[in-house]
Amino acid sequence: MATTARNETTLTDSSQGQQTPSVDTLFFDGQCPLCAGEISQLRKVRGDALRIVDIHELDETGDVTPDSVVPSNQSPNKDQLLRVLHLRRADGSWLTSADANVAAWEGTTHGRILSALRWPVVRHIADAIYAIWARWRYRRLYGKQFQESFHAPHK
């Protein structure tokens, strides 16, 4: 199983009355064909055990909306979310990149297999490959710099 990793950042909710989600929330790029395919499979096997949010459905500022149950003043912006996969744990901590992917599949057959990517020796190789792939995917879809009006106009 995925554990706390170097890509994880813990956030403290400074706002009063903000509810913490009871399940993890995965933020994905709905305009990425590979991502959309994986999310389709993930929805089938995880169901309600994982909340899945398309990054392009976030509010105009690119901040995560209160509807996502993530405080916008502490969350990554839309560009950051598009660069690498992000998963917010129910406890408010964040996982990114391969850690987020492995955590998203927790409790499934795929999750048991993917957990090998977090083994100490394999982790470094998997993280390097993920970083190269994520950079290539982002540039292929959005160029060197994300521009909301061009890359993700409102629907």
Side-chain angles (χ1 to χ4, degrees):
M1 291 292 166
T3 58
T4 307
R6 64 187 159 92
N7 290 338
E8 182 176 347
T9 306
T10 303
L11 298 178
T12 305
D13 186 0
S14 60
S15 62
Q16 297 298 327
Q18 184 74 21
Q19 294 180 0
T20 302
S22 60
V23 297
D24 294 347
T25 303
L26 180 70
F27 297 88
F28 83 103
D29 183 354
Q31 292 184 2
C32 170
L34 178 64
C35 304
E38 184 174 352
I39 292 301
S40 175
Q41 293 300 313
L42 194 54
R43 280 189 171 119
K44 289 177 187 175
V45 297
R46 291 290 310 264
D48 292 337
L50 178 68
R51 185 163 189 212
I52 300 173
V53 176
D54 183 343
I55 298 163
H56 298 288
E57 294 177 2
L58 299 177
D59 72 4
E60 291 181 26
T61 65
D63 290 335
V64 180
T65 64
D67 182 63
S68 301
V69 196
V70 180
S72 63
N73 63 339
Q74 299 174 5
S75 63
N77 65 34
K78 192 177 283 189
D79 184 59
Q80 292 167 322
L81 290 169
L82 287 170
R83 287 181 183 273
V84 296
L85 192 64
H86 283 72
L87 181 134
R88 182 175 190 258
R89 290 285 197 186
D91 68 6
S93 61
W94 287 88
L95 296 172
T96 60
S97 306
D99 291 320
N101 195 20
V102 171
W105 288 96
E106 283 177 345
T108 69
T109 304
H110 287 77
R112 287 189 291 279
I113 295 166
L114 289 172
S115 67
L117 296 176
R118 303 295 80 201
W119 294 348
V121 174
V122 178
R123 169 185 291 281
H124 298 295
I125 297 166
D127 288 348
I129 291 170
Y130 182 91
I132 292 167
W133 179 84
R135 197 168 26 256
W136 172 82
R137 184 202 71 83
Y138 181 86
R139 285 190 177 174
R140 184 178 143 262
L141 291 173
Y142 304 108
K144 291 184 180 183
Q145 186 173 10
F146 179 75
Q147 296 174 15
E148 174 70 25
S149 61
F150 179 74
H151 295 112
H154 294 350
K155 296 175 183 179

